[in-house]
């Protein structure tokens, strides 16, 4: 699962279909290619 590096939320979604390799955090609005990966 992916974790937002800013607010540590797991509400991460693909940004614009992930065609740019970026992610969007729905909680804080962070957009970027850097997200934290967390093993379940
Ligand atoms: Zn966030």
């Amino acid at each position: 699962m992916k974790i937002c590096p800013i607010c540590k939320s797991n509400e991460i979604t693909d940004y614009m279909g992930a065609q740019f390799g970026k992610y969007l955090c729905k909680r804080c609005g962070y957009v970027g290619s850097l997200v934290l990966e967390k093993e379940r």
Side-chain angles (χ1 to χ4, degrees), residues 4-9 11-12 24-30:
C4 174
I6 306 299
C7 68
K8 304 299 190 290
S9 163
E11 297 180 58
I12 294 292
L24 165 69
C25 174
K26 290 189 285 188
R27 179 179 287 182
C28 71
Y30 165 81

Side-chain angles (χ1 to χ4, degrees), residues 3-22:
I3 304 293
C4 174
I6 306 299
C7 68
K8 304 299 190 290
S9 163
N10 65 354
E11 297 180 58
I12 294 292
T13 187
D14 294 330
Y15 181 65
M16 296 185 69
Q19 57 189 316
F20 300 110
K22 289 187 176 182

